[in-house]
RNA sequence: GGUCCAUUCGUCUAGUGGUUAGGACGUCAGGUUUUCAUCCUGGUAACAGGGGUUCGAUUCCCCUAUGGACUACCA
């Protein structure tokens, strides 16, 4: 195979949606699998929809995911520039080539005229299609004598350049994911290739750039499938070899119907964007929600692709090795927030205690607690397998840092009995005899004491947990007292007895 | 409306002209845990419907239904 070159070509019209990130990821995986080149091209031919900050957002998102750009607006490359607005001057000549060949023509119809025609067609239940059947009745260089359209051109009248779609032709083409597709050209229209503002439309710019940049494989979203025949047609007109096309299925919303949108994220409490979007209407991001990029990438990779084995956890390198376009599914995937959490849980378990302690220390700092990293490692060890995100560690360990102020009333009702104060007093005096508070010391002593006294283990331990934690949750009780220490343990027993027996 | 695309457990999916239709998430039950969670074990649950083709269809073909994308001088 020739050297693989793929591109991810987003429009900077706002934050990059996770569907877009997945498209970028699949392009990247495919490129790297084949030792190829991954290109970032910015498609900003629509000046009106340009959004400040979007380019940076796209690049930061890819970087966070570990997707490295080989050629792009920042990286450069010998096929540059990589921003279409910077390539503005090269498109017109290609539109002219098509005109000279008779495959395109000038059209002078105004947007208003066309809107009107569409409305009228709709009234009779039809769809207005600008193509061979009506071309000669409209305002263009096909319907009028050359002298007339030359005059219009010379007088500076606004015009667009339209592709001249052939009439009644069975057009065959292939997509790696969809297979063989046949359409009749009569259902297609004479798409605008060059706008009256001097900019090309997506269709022209895309084909020209893909050709000039020697793109070998176009992997993009399914929303482009309807314009695929046009794109093949353009390659034919230019007599260029088309790249291989692969149209990815869409990402669907978790419930109900339709494709995933920002609203779904808001409604269901999960992000639809990789990173926080700070401009205008802000949006949550996976990074800020505590997802690891490795997990995020793994989740995305499995939305529409699978390796055909039972392995689910894949590093980027493993994904590159295992990836193939042929194993991408045909139907849209619903995003499942629950499974996304599970993935992050898996990745969190693989982190070392030291890594987690460092990450958790940041959260602790915002809460005003400063703790030695070694102690945090001990703490993290106790709860890591219970959490899916670093910020959940706090929810699991808050009572290590702050003695309970209030005691869960349900837990009190269930576990605080008449004899609880007496039992805890006994326990207290046993504990106060000990110098070392590690579990290997405290546990046998206390268990032995309970047995010797003939107490019920649950009665003692649950009451003990209640005064230590404030509720019935948390890790092994002897691990808790080991970490908070003797002094604090005794203090919590005293306070618990004082508060709870006074009720 | 038109064009194109899709359809296996609730979700992500594997899979085959003859399988007990497999896995994961979720869920349920049991076990472990003095608590909660984790964890372990087990269970639940699917080939959209109807016609063909065939000895036999989840698998191939057609129709219907449902869903989706597109239908701009947006990408």
């Amino acid at each position: 195979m020739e050297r693989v070159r793929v591109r991810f070509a987003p429009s900077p019209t706002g934050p990059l949606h996770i569907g877009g990130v997945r498209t970028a990821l699949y392009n990247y995986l495919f490129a790297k699998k084949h030792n190829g080149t991954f290109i970032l091209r910015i498609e900003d031919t629509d000046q009106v929809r340009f959004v400040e900050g979007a380019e940076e957002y796209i690049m930061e998102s890819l970087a966070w995911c570990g997707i490295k750009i080989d050629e792009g607006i920042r990286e450069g490359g010998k096929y540059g520039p990589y921003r279409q607005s910077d390539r503005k001057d090269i498109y017109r000549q290609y539109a002219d080539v098509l005109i000279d060949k008779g495959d395109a023509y000038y059209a002078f119809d105004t947007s208003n005229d066309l809107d009107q025609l569409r409305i009228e067609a709709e009234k009779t239940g039809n769809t207005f299609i600008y193509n061979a059947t009506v071309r000669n009745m409209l305002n263009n260089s096909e319907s009028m004598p050359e002298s007339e359209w030359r005059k219009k051109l010379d007088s500076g009248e606004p015009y667009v350049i339209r592709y001249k779609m052939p009439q009644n032709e069975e057009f065959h083409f292939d997509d790696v994911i969809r297979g063989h597709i046949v359409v009749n050209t009569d259902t297609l229209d004479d798409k605008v290739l060059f706008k009256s503002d001097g900019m090309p439309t997506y269709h022209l710019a895309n084909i020209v750039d893909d050709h000039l940049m020697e793109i070998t494989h176009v992997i993009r979203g399914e929303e482009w499938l309807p314009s695929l025949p046009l794109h093949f047609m353009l390659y034919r007109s230019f007599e260029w070899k088309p790249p291989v096309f692969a149209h990815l299925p869409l990402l669907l919303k978790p419930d109900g119907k339709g494709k995933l949108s920002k609203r779904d994220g808001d409604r269901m409490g999960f992000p639809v964007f990789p990173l926080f979007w700070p401009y205008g209407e802000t949006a949550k991001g996976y990074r800020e929600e505590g997802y690891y990029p490795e997990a995020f990438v793994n989740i995305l990779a499995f939305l529409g692709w699978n390796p055909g084995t039972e392995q689910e956890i894949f590093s980027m390198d493993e994904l590159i090795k295992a990836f193939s376009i042929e194993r991408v599914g045909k139907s849209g995937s619903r995003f499942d927030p629950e499974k996304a959490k599970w993935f992050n849980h898996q990745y969190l378990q693989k982190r070392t205690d030291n890594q987690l302690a460092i990450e958790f220390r940041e959260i602790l700092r915002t809460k005003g607690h400063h703790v030695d990293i070694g102690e945090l490692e001990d703490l993290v060890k106790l709860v890591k397998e219970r959490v899916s995100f670093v910020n959940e560690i706090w929810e699991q360990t808050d009572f290590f840092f702050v003695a309970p102020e209030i005691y869960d009333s349900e837990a009190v009702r269930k576990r605080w009995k008449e004899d609880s104060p007496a039992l805890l007093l006994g326990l207290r005096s046993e504990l106060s005899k000990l110098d070392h508070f590690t579990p290997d010391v405290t546990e046998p002593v206390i268990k032995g004491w309970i047995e010797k006294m003939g107490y019920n283990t649950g009665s003692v331990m649950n009451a003990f947990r209640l005064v230590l934690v404030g509720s019935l949750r948390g890790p092994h009780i002897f691990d808790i007292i080991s970490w908070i220490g003797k002094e604090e343990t005794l203090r919590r027993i005293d306070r618990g007895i004082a508060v709870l027996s006074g009720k």
Side-chain angles (χ1 to χ4, degrees):
Chain A
M1 200 200 296
E2 63 193 310
R3 185 126 169 108
V4 166
R5 292 175 57 82
V6 300
R7 84 295 194 282
F8 176 57
S11 288
T13 54
L16 190 61
H17 181 279
I18 54 175
V21 180
R22 190 193 59 167
T23 301
L25 176 64
Y26 283 14
N27 271 286
Y28 179 73
L29 295 177
F30 182 78
K32 296 300 131 183
K33 164 100 187 182
H34 298 286
N35 249 305
T37 305
F38 176 79
I39 297 152
L40 175 70
R41 184 172 73 219
I42 297 294
E43 307 221 328
D44 58 347
T45 52
D46 185 358
Q47 321 262 268
V48 182
R49 294 205 310 159
F50 180 83
V51 171
E52 199 66 45
E55 273 185 11
E56 291 69 23
Y57 183 94
I58 289 163
M59 291 186 285
E60 197 182 342
S61 296
L62 297 186
W64 181 64
C65 290
I67 295 174
K68 294 178 207 73
I69 299 164
D70 298 311
E71 296 173 23
I73 54 172
R74 194 177 281 163
E75 297 71 14
K78 62 175 181 168
Y79 295 84
Y82 292 90
R83 189 188 282 112
Q84 288 185 330
S85 57
D86 294 336
R87 302 169 65 78
K88 188 179 171 185
D89 295 339
I90 69 178
Y91 301 111
R92 178 55 201 246
Q93 56 186 295
Y94 290 98
D96 288 339
V97 166
L98 261 18
I99 286 188
D100 292 344
K101 288 195 66 172
D103 283 352
Y105 59 88
Y106 302 102
F108 304 93
D109 317 271
T110 66
S111 297
N112 271 349
D113 294 343
L114 296 175
D115 286 344
Q116 206 53 46
L117 288 166
R118 284 188 192 100
I119 290 165
E120 273 167 38
E122 216 167 294
K123 275 182 197 158
T124 59
N126 295 315
T127 308
F128 172 75
I129 305 178
Y130 201 130
N131 65 11
T133 57
V134 295
R135 196 146 60 209
N136 286 326
M137 290 140 67
L138 294 159
N139 218 345
N140 55 56
S141 59
E142 293 288 300
S143 66
M144 56 183 79
E146 178 159 357
S147 59
E148 194 176 332
W149 59 259
R150 285 273 179 224
K151 200 158 68 187
K152 281 177 181 285
L153 248 34
D154 292 342
S155 71
E157 188 171 328
Y159 66 92
V160 300
I161 296 174
R162 284 182 182 272
Y163 185 69
K164 192 170 158 188
M165 186 60 70
Q167 190 165 13
N168 193 25
E169 180 186 335
E170 291 283 309
F171 193 57
H172 296 250
F173 52 91
D174 292 284
D175 179 277
V176 177
I177 294 170
R178 309 286 152 173
H180 191 72
I181 302 170
V182 184
V183 292
N184 188 296
T185 53
D186 282 353
T187 64
L188 274 17
D189 65 342
D190 291 356
K191 275 271 179 289
V192 171
L193 298 179
F194 206 84
K195 300 185 269 189
S196 57
D197 67 356
M199 284 293 252
T201 61
Y202 171 85
H203 304 293
L204 210 223
N206 188 266
I207 265 65
V208 168
D209 285 346
D210 282 348
H211 175 254
L212 261 26
M213 294 181 181
E214 295 178 24
I215 300 301
T216 57
H217 299 259
V218 172
I219 302 167
R220 71 217 313 190
E222 190 186 73
E223 67 271 24
W224 292 108
L225 203 50
S227 47
L228 184 55
L230 195 230
H231 296 167
F232 267 107
M233 203 65 86
L234 284 168
Y235 279 102
R236 190 173 79 176
S237 289
F238 283 121
E239 295 171 44
W240 293 337
K241 180 180 178 231
V244 173
F245 284 93
H247 287 83
L248 268 20
L250 264 20
L251 254 33
L252 273 19
K253 57 180 68 186
D255 66 334
K257 298 144 201 281
K259 65 173 177 178
L260 192 61
S261 69
K262 176 183 183 308
R263 275 217 142 62
D264 300 314
D266 295 344
R267 190 165 49 83
M268 309 202 48
F270 69 90
V272 172
F273 300 99
L275 316 177
F276 175 69
W277 172 256
Y279 310 105
E281 197 185 341
T282 59
K284 289 198 287 187
Y286 278 85
R287 182 176 63 184
E288 291 74 16
E289 292 294 298
Y291 280 85
Y292 291 117
E294 299 89 334
F296 180 68
V297 162
N298 201 152
I299 293 162
L300 251 32
F302 267 70
L303 243 35
W305 171 86
N306 77 83
T309 66
E310 303 209 327
Q311 183 183 351
E312 291 203 274
I313 302 300
F314 278 79
S315 67
M316 186 69 98
D317 285 343
E318 289 173 317
L319 285 173
I320 288 168
K321 238 181 235 132
F323 188 78
S324 80
I325 287 283
E326 287 72 26
R327 293 203 64 87
V328 173
K330 286 176 163 59
S331 52
S333 312
R334 240 170 269 279
F335 182 80
D336 182 358
E338 285 304 318
K339 188 138 189 186
K341 281 183 198 159
W342 177 81
F343 268 107
N344 210 66
H345 178 84
Q346 299 302 312
Y347 278 87
L348 188 141
Q349 303 316 312
K350 288 165 59 164
R351 305 228 125 200
T352 65
D353 295 333
N354 180 257
Q355 283 175 309
L356 289 171
I358 290 168
E359 292 164 18
F360 181 49
R361 185 167 56 180
E362 288 310 307
I363 291 171
L364 230 36
R365 191 170 287 162
T366 66
K367 300 193 183 290
H369 299 286
H370 300 272
V371 184
D372 175 74
I373 201 75
E375 280 182 65
L376 283 184
E377 283 179 31
D378 291 339
L379 181 59
V380 156
K381 206 174 299 178
L382 299 180
V383 296
K384 71 182 279 192
E385 64 185 20
R386 323 157 73 99
V387 302
S388 297
F389 300 94
V390 170
N391 55 29
E392 285 176 355
I393 295 177
W394 171 254
E395 293 155 32
Q396 295 290 334
T397 60
D398 55 344
F399 54 86
F400 281 85
F401 302 94
V402 186
E405 290 284 320
I406 52 162
Y407 302 88
D408 179 67
S409 57
E410 177 66 11
V412 171
R413 194 184 58 76
K414 253 173 82 180
R415 298 298 190 182
W416 190 262
K417 304 296 183 193
E418 280 297 305
D419 59 349
S420 294
L423 292 175
L424 287 187
L425 246 22
L427 179 73
R428 188 193 195 286
S429 90
E430 291 303 308
L431 288 172
S432 58
K433 294 175 196 160
L434 300 173
D435 292 325
H436 293 287
F437 241 55
T438 50
D440 59 309
V441 175
T442 54
E443 185 159 359
V445 167
I446 296 306
K447 283 191 169 165
W449 170 74
I450 289 171
E451 195 177 337
K452 193 183 81 191
M453 302 299 286
Y455 294 144
N456 177 283
T457 308
S459 304
V460 177
M461 298 307 274
N462 283 305
F464 191 18
R465 178 174 294 278
L466 190 52
V467 300
L468 286 170
V469 177
S471 62
L472 300 175
R473 65 190 171 99
H476 196 54
I477 213 157
F478 295 100
D479 286 328
I480 299 175
I481 62 171
S482 170
W483 200 86
I484 64 176
K486 180 176 179 178
E487 197 185 330
E488 177 67 12
T489 299
L490 299 183
R491 188 158 41 224
R492 289 190 188 188
I493 291 172
D494 292 341
R495 179 163 190 283
I497 292 172
V499 172
L500 291 170
S501 18
K503 286 170 77 81

